[in-house]
Amino acid sequence: LLIGAGCALYPLGWDSEEVRQTCGYISGQFDLGKCEIGWAYYCTGAGAAAAMLLCTWLACFSGKKQKHYPY
């Protein structure tokens, strides 16, 4: 959840002075100007979504079949 929230809030910082100097003064929130988002941002978002789905799926099926030990 925290990684997903971080990816969602990341574009809010694009109107800072450092980003405006690097990407052009037309950049703002959710508008990156001349810069592009790299593949790491997309991989992080996809990994967070995959982890959320996998953990939910594993939690749902973890208690379905319990082994009975003979001792």
Side-chain angles (χ1 to χ4, degrees):
L1 289 175
L2 292 176
I3 292 174
C7 286
L9 294 175
Y10 175 65
L12 293 176
W14 290 346
D15 63 345
S16 68
E17 188 60 33
E18 291 86 7
V19 175
R20 287 183 187 265
Q21 288 176 356
T22 305
C23 299
Y25 286 96
I26 60 171
S27 66
Q29 286 184 355
F30 299 98
D31 182 21
L32 202 49
K34 293 186 244 177
C35 295
E36 296 179 1
I37 295 176
W39 58 269
Y41 180 74
Y42 296 117
C43 287
T44 302
M52 188 75 143
L53 291 173
L54 180 66
C55 290
T56 303
W57 183 75
L58 289 175
C60 288
F61 294 109
S62 65
K64 294 281 183 187
K65 192 174 186 182
Q66 295 183 1
K67 294 181 180 178
H68 295 286
Y69 294 104
Y71 45 86

